[in-house]
Amino acid sequence: MSPPRPPLLSVQNLAVEFLLPDRSRRRAVDGVSLQIDSGTTLGLLGESGSGKTTLARAIVRLIHPASGSITFGGREITHLSQRKLRPIRKMMQIVFQDSAGSLNPRMTVGDIVAEPLIVHRVDVRLSRRTAVLDLLDRVGLPKTAIDRYPHEFSGGQRQRINIARAVALHPRLLVCDEPVSALDVSVRAQILNLFRDLQRELGLTYLFVSHDLAVVRYMSDQVAVMHAGRIVESGEAEKIYARPRHPYTAELLAASTH
């Protein structure tokens, strides 16, 4: 019997602190540990202010942690320099909540989606334009989108543009930070289904951050519940939803039914 494969992402005792105006420190993430197996989705559930977004940004090293460790693909990346992080960044991408704010309004959609290929000097098999057209098709956008600008699209379409850019480099991990919370309910379902289709087609692994219990339940294999900077409960999604062990999780579930 072969030994179990190590998780794609392992976070151990991670802490993130912010310096306040009075020079005191606030610990936004306090000793968090989690892991995600390759090809699965971990839903990170919690209310606004629980530390979810801070944790997500620390995992992809947009924020430097105060202590703890992040291991990705078997490599410890917590203290890597920006230069050494560069090849790692190709393999872990992030999709933000604000679909409009994360797109440069002065760039065409084609330039936005092509940007990661240019920055990371990816040698595409055909032309770069062909690669971009393939990405737009994969996320359900028409070919004509390539020469248009972000303001010409709806919120759901702009999020599709963000997703196309995020998968351009064939990452292994996609960190999705409240990616559907600003969308209408009908559009939300379409984008969630797109995420699931892409996971199946590309073998993606997701850290899916949301305050929405229904979204997390629909997307996740495993769930970690975050409260006041800590993980208070984690495990298989269906087990947590059926029989929550922590009072905070039970409170969240009860509130969602009213």
Side-chain angles (χ1 to χ4, degrees):
M1 188 173 171
S2 58
R5 292 172 62 190
L8 176 65
L9 177 74
S10 178
V11 175
Q12 296 294 324
N13 297 315
L14 201 72
V16 180
E17 295 179 344
F18 292 118
L19 190 64
L20 300 177
D22 64 1
R23 309 303 293 174
S24 65
R25 290 185 173 274
R26 183 176 74 85
R27 184 159 280 207
V29 175
D30 189 6
V32 165
S33 297
L34 57 82
Q35 62 181 43
I36 314 176
D37 292 330
S38 186
T40 69
T41 299
L42 173 68
L44 187 61
L45 178 66
E47 295 174 300
S48 179
S50 62
K52 306 184 307 296
T53 290
T54 301
L55 174 60
R57 287 171 178 255
I59 284 171
V60 295
R61 286 291 315 276
L62 293 177
I63 298 173
H64 194 72
S67 59
S69 69
I70 307 162
T71 303
F72 177 72
R75 183 177 183 185
E76 222 268 278
I77 66 167
T78 324
H79 303 293
L80 289 183
S81 66
Q82 290 302 311
R83 183 178 62 81
K84 289 185 177 177
L85 269 175
R86 191 180 178 89
I88 304 290
R89 292 202 187 283
K90 288 174 65 174
M91 295 187 285
M92 50 196 313
Q93 294 286 305
I94 188 165
V95 177
F96 296 102
Q97 173 183 355
D98 181 8
S99 62
S102 51
L103 298 173
N104 187 331
R106 291 183 292 277
M107 292 173 70
T108 65
V109 169
D111 288 338
I112 288 167
V113 176
E115 189 174 26
L117 302 173
I118 297 165
V119 168
H120 289 275
R121 298 178 182 147
V122 175
D123 184 23
V124 292
R125 188 168 49 87
L126 299 170
S127 72
R128 191 174 290 140
R129 187 177 178 88
T130 301
V132 170
L133 288 170
D134 287 345
L135 286 162
L136 293 178
D137 183 61
R138 189 178 283 280
V139 300
L141 288 170
K143 287 180 167 50
T144 52
I146 194 168
D147 295 315
R148 294 162 64 191
Y149 290 86
H151 74 269
E152 300 178 59
F153 296 90
S154 67
Q157 289 172 321
R158 285 196 295 266
Q159 200 59 296
R160 289 176 189 268
I161 297 165
N162 273 312
I163 295 166
R165 177 175 59 184
V167 301
L169 296 171
H170 303 287
R172 297 178 68 189
L173 174 69
L174 211 56
V175 174
C176 307
D177 184 15
E178 297 273 12
V180 297
S181 63
L183 304 177
D184 294 338
V185 173
S186 59
V187 178
R188 194 177 303 173
Q190 295 169 16
I191 298 299
L192 292 176
N193 285 328
L194 173 61
F195 276 120
R196 289 181 67 160
D197 291 344
L198 290 173
Q199 183 172 45
R200 187 174 60 251
E201 294 165 12
L202 304 177
L204 291 167
T205 304
Y206 291 141
L207 173 62
F208 210 91
V209 179
S210 181
H211 69 279
D212 189 314
L213 281 87
V215 165
V216 169
R217 186 172 195 170
Y218 183 68
M219 289 299 300
S220 307
D221 303 295
Q222 303 282 320
V223 170
V225 182
M226 199 164 182
H227 175 58
R230 299 183 176 217
I231 301 291
V232 297
E233 182 169 0
S234 62
E236 292 180 27
E238 288 308 318
K239 287 183 179 178
I240 284 181
Y241 277 77
R243 292 181 299 279
R245 298 187 305 274
H246 195 278
Y248 176 72
T249 312
E251 190 180 306
L252 282 179
L253 289 167
S256 73
T257 61
H258 296 317

